[in-house]
Amino acid sequence: EVTTAGKSAIFAPEFTADGQTEGIIYAFAPKGTTKVGGVRSISSEHNDVTTNVPTIQNPTTTSCDEAVHMVYAMEEYTGDIPTNVAMTFQHMLAYGKMTIKGIEKEIKSVSFTAPKTIAGTTCYFYYNTRTWGNTDEATITINNPAANNYTFWFGCVPAELNEGTLIVIAKTADGYTSTKNIELGPKT
């Protein structure tokens, strides 16, 4: 684990034998806990990392919640294990924004439930496949970062949402609730 600028990253070197002359070093950030997003543990046996994609997110008015900015990098090497590694990080999650129209009141939060699981405790298989599995939550709640704001940024596990119903619920500060069911699939 390495910490810089208040952020922690977890490194996972792939070693096969003493005197190894090639390999891959993986890095994942941020290091997370059960209460916030991030990478919680690494399994070199299964080539996956356990992550927490927050089901309650607190974005800004212009970007996703910092807790969903999960990134990874890999560096292959030959010869001795390098003492200095320059890694290029890529995002692990999908990001989006949702704009709510037709509600004139101040919105307190928006939640949406997808027809597939897209958040919660999950595994990211980092070697070869770069896929997600074992996700356990289908609902994400996005708290509104500002008064009179109708655009909500979020992060989730990448998933094909090409069928089923996306249920969106907007709650206002005075207790009003509005629900919209969005049918996913080809337009007819």
Side-chain angles (χ1 to χ4, degrees):
E1 177 182 343
V2 173
T3 303
T4 58
K7 304 291 179 193
S8 295
I10 300 174
F11 286 83
E14 294 285 320
F15 300 121
T16 57
D18 290 339
Q20 178 175 333
T21 60
E22 61 183 33
I24 305 172
I25 298 172
Y26 294 93
F28 305 92
K31 180 180 178 189
T33 68
T34 56
K35 295 183 181 178
V36 297
V39 176
R40 292 170 36 194
S41 64
I42 294 174
S43 169
S44 55
E45 176 185 355
H46 301 291
N47 294 312
D48 69 17
V49 291
T50 301
T51 67
N52 182 29
V53 179
T55 56
I56 298 175
Q57 299 181 14
N58 297 294
T60 67
T61 56
T62 58
S63 183
C64 298
D65 186 329
E66 189 176 291
V68 298
H69 285 280
M70 284 187 249
V71 295
Y72 80 97
M74 60 179 272
E75 180 69 28
E76 295 185 59
Y77 65 89
T78 57
D80 293 333
I81 298 171
T83 55
N84 292 310
V85 180
M87 302 186 110
T88 302
F89 283 84
Q90 299 175 10
H91 286 273
M92 295 165 60
L93 297 178
Y95 304 102
K97 69 178 180 175
M98 175 185 314
T99 300
I100 305 296
K101 295 182 179 180
I103 298 176
E104 301 300 324
K105 302 177 180 189
E106 182 181 336
I107 297 174
K108 180 180 176 182
S109 67
V110 171
S111 64
F112 63 94
T113 301
K116 294 183 178 180
T117 54
I118 54 172
T121 301
T122 186
C123 289
Y124 179 70
F125 296 92
Y126 59 82
Y127 184 73
N128 287 334
T129 62
R130 308 233 182 13
T131 58
W132 291 89
N134 306 324
T135 310
D136 63 0
E137 297 289 338
T139 301
I140 292 175
T141 299
I142 312 161
N143 291 319
N144 200 345
N148 300 316
N149 177 52
Y150 297 97
T151 299
F152 299 83
W153 292 84
F154 63 92
C156 64
V157 171
E160 285 188 26
L161 300 178
N162 51 10
E163 62 182 358
T165 304
L166 181 70
I167 303 166
V168 181
I169 301 173
K171 294 182 180 179
T172 65
D174 65 0
Y176 173 79
T177 299
S178 177
T179 302
K180 174 83 173 178
N181 293 340
I182 302 168
E183 294 303 320
L184 305 172
K187 303 275 185 201
T188 55

